[in-house]
Amino acid sequence: MNDNDVVIELRQRVAELEAAEARHKRVEKELIRNLEERLMTEETLRQRNRELALIHHAGPAFSSTLDLDRVLVSVLEETGRLLDVVGCSVWLVDSETGELFCQQATGPQGKAVRGWRLAPGEGLAGWVASRGESLIVPDTRADERHFKDIDEYTGLRLRSILGVPLRVRQDVIGVLQVVDHKINRFNVTDLRLLEPLAASAAVAIENARLYGAVHQELTQRKRAEAERERLLIAEREQRLLAETLREVTLALTSQMSHEAVLDEILHQAQHIVPYRTAHIVLLKDDTLRIAHWQGYKAFGSEEFISKLVQPLADYPLDAEAMRTRKPLVIHDRYQEPRWTVDHETAWVKSHLALPICLRDRVLGLLRLDSDVSGEFSAEDAQRLEPLASAAAIALENARLYEQVKRHAVELETRVAERTHELAEANERLQELDRLKSRFVSDVSHELRTPVANIKLYLHLLEHGKVEKHSDYLTVLREQSDRQSQLVEDILRLSRLELGKEKVEFVPVDLNAVVGQVVTALQPAAEAANLELFFEPGEGLPPVRAERNQLAQVVTNLVTNAIKYTPAGQVRINLCSDAECGQACLEVHDTGMGIDPQDLPHIFERFYRGQKVGGSTVPGTGLGLSIVKEIVDLHEGKIEVESQLGTGSTFRVWLPLKQGNK
Ligand code: ADP
């Protein structure tokens, strides 16, 4: 072989190699393409598998329950697990407001996001819901639609979001959303995975919603029916209770006396809660006292119960019932450590006590006792409560009624007393009136005497001895003075009595005053055939007195002595007792004396002795009362000794003038 042949052969070899290489490259390309296709197919299969697995998991979950939240939780957990994302959430459209609210969310801040509300169109979920289109957001920071408040609130830095609308027929009912921290986390594959899931989730949600609505309606209807039933029963019970209460109230309020009311309470209680023994205790001074009882005889405790007195301090359970105004039900007193055991009622096993309350006051307790445990229930107490309220009112009424009755009796007594007093006063007034009429006539009579004397002395002046004229004139003057004095004294007495008298006390010579009076009365004594003696007091110091009043005292006493002495003498003595600082005026007569029956009365106004009253002896019954008034005013003292048929002695003690007083 020559060189040319070698070259040609080499060229052929090169061409063959090149052709082989080209073939090889083609095959390689083919292989790569096949490989790629296989990989793609595998990925599609895997994806399909995942999709199927998800749907496989979600499907039964959707159909197994109609509880919306359970449906959603299982879908979201499955989605999150398969896609391996931070969180998933379902947002539903509020048909009333158009807002989106987060119905369910899983992931670290699921709880915080749940219930969150977005305004229509707000945020990425809002965008998906309003457009009805799916959305892949590779980076939330670069997307203005992203609602950042949720991120701030939850503290989750979410970067990728994938949202798929939840559709039922034409309507978008919500959004299924998956989120993650990583940027550009989701692709179309994920979207394709989510879309069918969203479709079945939407159907499940709708079903659950419909079921919920139906269920809710059913529940509501059932509840309404139950409520109606309850109301009907309550109304029936109420009506029954009202009727009972009306009867009880009627029965109670028709009883007027306290005792009858108490009796009626126990009687009515028997109808409401049948009992064997019951009693009522009423509160007074922190102590419960028995008011009424029934049935204790059969247990041999009547004697004890009839005297029941329980200081609240010793009965803590009762004290508590009174304080809280709540019923006390003891099912078994052996189980109640605070129960106070009384030997006589040791047979009591169960007990019910109901406070009888009137507004904010507790009047007492209505108590039921039983020798069987568990006899009374809280319902019994409840049933008895209206009775207790009616009882409180009835008891109060009875109390008021009895108070009014007592008042009426008191009033009657008072009226009778007053009537009696008035009758007495009237009698006194009539007597006074009679005395006054007599007084007026007596005064007129009294006045006539000095007038007669004046006339007599005027006559003597005209026809008597001339040398006696001046004496006559003196007597005349004195008589006229005495007359006006008498009128004055009548006025003075009334003034004295009214306490209006303004008396000026001065030192008065008693001897002089008595001497003048005696002189003035001498003619009268002579006219009566009496001896009139005056024994002045030797060295008698002046008394502290009002002169005219003193003369009045002497005049009245001596006039009386003359008047009431038919025969004999009248003696006037004056003396003093320096030791007790008093002067004594003594008017003694041998006259008729004073009847012991008259003696206590002679100083009373208008009082005249029984014997002299109807006699011709003139008098007003005023003389001694004037004397007494004046003596009292002078802080003196008057006393009388008298013996019927023998005579009388009047003694007047007057204080002597002392020092400068
Ligand atoms: P009068 O003399 O106007 O009846 P008095 O008040 O002066 O009224 O006296 C009251 C009564 O006391 C007289 O009515 C009389 O019964 C009795 N009496 C007073 N002084 C004497 C006396 N000296 N002797 C007897 N009885 C007297």
Side-chain angles (χ1 to χ4, degrees):
M1 209 195 263
N2 59 29
D3 285 348
N4 271 344
D5 288 341
V6 171
V7 170
I8 288 163
E9 200 179 329
L10 275 172
R11 275 189 187 140
Q12 267 178 350
R13 290 289 294 185
V14 168
E16 276 171 17
L17 276 173
E18 276 175 353
E21 199 187 332
R23 255 199 329 272
H24 183 76
K25 273 189 181 162
R26 255 199 327 275
V27 169
E28 201 180 51
K29 251 188 188 172
E30 186 74 10
L31 271 174
I32 288 171
R33 201 167 50 81
N34 279 350
L35 200 67
E36 275 176 356
E37 268 176 18
R38 250 185 79 185
L39 278 172
M40 262 175 72
T41 314
E42 265 179 23
E43 177 58 32
T44 314
L45 274 172
R46 238 196 328 271
Q47 188 179 321
R48 190 64 194 148
N49 268 347
R50 274 153 66 194
E51 197 179 305
L52 281 172
L54 183 57
I55 292 168
H56 175 73
H57 273 94
F62 289 169
S63 51
S64 70
T65 177
L66 285 167
D67 177 341
L68 180 61
D69 284 308
R70 272 171 64 194
V71 167
L72 295 178
V73 168
S74 67
V75 169
L76 294 178
E77 275 173 357
E78 196 70 5
T79 311
R81 199 168 53 79
L82 282 173
L83 293 182
D84 189 23
V85 287
V86 167
C88 308
S89 55
V90 168
W91 299 72
L92 297 179
V93 177
D94 184 331
S95 55
E96 278 178 21
T97 59
E99 289 174 330
L100 266 186
F101 63 94
C102 181
Q103 177 74 29
Q104 263 308 338
T106 56
Q109 287 288 349
K111 253 191 189 164
V113 182
R114 221 170 290 150
W116 196 285
R117 293 186 94 85
L118 295 169
E122 193 172 44
L124 292 166
W127 189 91
V128 173
S130 59
R131 298 286 179 96
E133 287 171 26
S134 296
L135 176 69
I136 296 170
V137 176
D139 185 359
T140 53
R141 289 198 190 158
D143 199 315
E144 280 187 356
R145 292 168 297 185
H146 180 51
F147 185 72
K148 296 178 181 61
D149 284 8
I150 301 183
D151 274 8
E152 269 167 33
Y153 180 71
T154 57
L156 295 172
R157 304 264 168 264
L158 299 175
R159 298 301 288 268
S160 294
I161 289 183
L162 170 56
V164 181
L166 296 167
R167 272 181 202 285
V168 171
R169 287 175 292 278
Q170 301 308 313
D171 302 326
V172 175
I173 62 157
V175 176
L176 173 62
Q177 209 171 46
V178 287
V179 294
D180 200 63
H181 292 312
K182 286 181 218 140
I183 298 177
N184 205 11
R185 169 69 178 72
F186 303 113
N187 55 27
V188 184
T189 313
D190 297 317
L191 183 65
R192 255 191 241 133
L193 176 67
L194 267 195
E195 271 174 346
L197 189 71
S200 27
V203 173
I205 289 168
E206 188 62 6
N207 284 348
R209 267 183 163 184
L210 285 173
Y211 172 76
V214 171
H215 182 72
Q216 197 180 348
E217 203 186 310
L218 260 173
T219 317
Q220 269 174 0
R221 206 174 288 172
K222 266 191 197 159
R223 206 177 295 150
E225 245 160 53
E227 179 69 4
R228 229 185 93 227
E229 189 69 15
R230 200 185 60 75
L231 282 175
L232 270 174
I233 293 171
E235 198 207 317
R236 211 174 305 132
E237 272 180 3
Q238 211 57 39
R239 216 180 20 237
L240 230 116
L241 201 70
E243 267 166 34
T244 318
L245 193 61
R246 198 168 51 81
E247 276 170 30
V248 166
T249 315
L250 207 72
L252 277 179
T253 46
S254 63
Q255 307 303 325
M256 289 317 252
S257 86
H258 206 249
E259 201 60 19
V261 166
L262 292 168
D263 202 52
E264 193 59 40
I265 295 169
L266 291 189
H267 180 68
Q268 292 292 344
Q270 180 71 264
H271 290 317
I272 302 169
V273 178
Y275 61 79
R276 288 190 69 193
T277 52
H279 67 274
I280 294 166
V281 278
L282 295 177
L283 183 73
K284 199 178 174 202
D285 306 330
D286 285 335
T287 301
L288 294 168
R289 291 163 209 276
I290 187 72
H292 213 70
W293 65 92
Q294 202 154 326
Y296 287 86
K297 204 171 186 173
F299 292 89
S301 318
E302 187 157 65
E303 171 77 8
F304 170 76
I305 212 88
S306 68
K307 293 180 182 142
L308 198 67
V309 174
Q310 300 180 323
L312 278 183
D314 300 340
Y315 292 81
L317 285 170
D318 296 284
E320 190 179 294
M322 299 289 286
R323 187 172 48 76
T324 59
R325 288 188 241 157
K326 291 212 173 96
L328 168 73
V329 179
I330 307 286
H331 298 290
D332 181 0
R333 62 110 160 147
Y334 292 103
Q335 305 295 319
E336 177 50 70
R338 288 182 300 164
W339 177 266
T340 314
V341 185
D342 287 314
H343 170 68
E344 293 82 349
T345 48
W347 51 267
V348 172
K349 291 217 177 68
S350 53
H351 174 86
L352 188 157
L354 196 67
I356 301 173
C357 307
L358 184 76
R359 291 179 289 277
D360 53 348
R361 268 192 307 137
V362 187
L363 306 183
L365 293 171
L366 164 63
R367 287 160 161 177
L368 273 50
D369 286 319
S370 171
D371 58 337
V372 180
S373 53
E375 181 88 340
F376 309 112
S377 64
E379 288 73 38
D380 287 337
Q382 213 176 347
R383 270 199 291 277
L384 280 173
E385 255 169 26
L387 170 71
S389 310
I393 296 168
L395 279 176
E396 181 67 358
N397 283 351
R399 191 183 67 79
L400 291 175
Y401 172 72
E402 266 157 37
Q403 201 178 44
V404 167
K405 228 165 68 180
R406 250 199 330 275
H407 259 98
V409 172
E410 266 172 36
L411 264 177
E412 233 169 79
T413 321
R414 287 232 308 265
V415 166
E417 278 170 12
R418 296 290 292 162
T419 311
H420 183 69
E421 278 171 24
L422 279 173
E424 274 184 353
N426 195 28
E427 238 172 68
R428 274 204 305 276
L429 276 174
Q430 279 177 4
E431 172 68 7
L432 220 66
D433 199 40
R434 207 167 45 74
L435 287 174
K436 271 194 178 156
S437 311
R438 217 184 81 190
F439 168 76
V440 171
S441 75
D442 286 349
V443 164
S444 326
H445 188 79
E446 276 297 292
L447 284 172
R448 252 182 243 127
T449 315
V451 171
N453 277 339
I454 288 167
K455 271 188 180 167
L456 170 73
Y457 280 92
L458 280 173
H459 178 81
L460 283 173
L461 259 182
E462 265 182 87
H463 306 288
K465 292 176 186 164
V466 178
E467 63 267 24
K468 288 251 179 180
H469 273 194
S470 84
D471 289 349
Y472 296 153
L473 274 172
T474 310
V475 174
L476 267 172
R477 216 170 289 122
E478 278 173 4
Q479 279 303 309
S480 65
D481 282 353
R482 293 300 315 129
Q483 190 185 9
S484 59
Q485 195 71 53
L486 182 63
V487 176
E488 267 298 302
D489 283 349
I490 292 162
L491 291 170
R492 189 164 291 151
L493 179 67
S494 57
R495 265 186 257 133
L496 276 171
E497 271 205 331
L498 289 170
K500 286 177 183 166
E501 185 76 17
K502 290 268 179 290
V503 191
E504 209 178 307
F505 294 112
V506 289
V508 176
D509 178 3
L510 204 51
N511 279 332
V513 173
V514 178
Q516 278 170 11
V517 173
V518 169
T519 308
L521 294 176
Q522 197 69 45
E526 277 167 21
N529 277 326
L530 295 174
E531 289 176 307
L532 181 60
F533 299 109
F534 169 44
E535 216 173 284
E538 262 184 52
L540 186 73
V543 289
R544 208 181 123 265
E546 204 282 324
R547 199 177 185 287
N548 290 329
Q549 286 187 357
L550 216 51
Q552 186 74 61
V553 169
V554 183
T555 307
N556 289 6
L557 291 177
V558 178
T559 309
N560 279 353
I562 296 170
K563 274 198 304 192
Y564 302 116
T565 304
Q569 51 173 255
V570 173
R571 185 178 294 281
I572 301 138
N573 296 322
L574 281 176
C575 65
S576 68
D577 183 340
E579 229 170 76
C580 60
Q582 301 220 303
C584 178
L585 160 73
E586 190 177 88
V587 181
H588 172 76
D589 65 61
T590 56
M592 58 197 281
I594 302 166
D595 193 305
Q597 280 188 337
D598 289 333
L599 216 50
H601 305 291
I602 54 171
F603 294 102
E604 289 171 13
R605 268 184 82 168
F606 304 115
Y607 188 86
R608 303 208 68 203
Q610 290 171 38
K611 279 200 185 121
V612 303
S615 74
T616 52
V617 184
T620 60
L622 211 59
L624 287 183
S625 35
I626 290 176
V627 169
K628 178 84 171 68
E629 289 286 339
I630 294 172
V631 170
D632 283 349
L633 207 69
H634 282 73
E635 291 168 3
K637 198 171 65 177
I638 183 160
E639 53 191 36
V640 56
E641 277 171 30
S642 186
Q643 215 171 356
L644 215 50
T646 308
S648 312
T649 305
F650 284 85
R651 262 180 225 103
V652 174
W653 296 92
L654 291 166
L656 292 169
K657 185 216 170 253
Q658 284 175 344
N660 291 329
K661 251 174 70 177

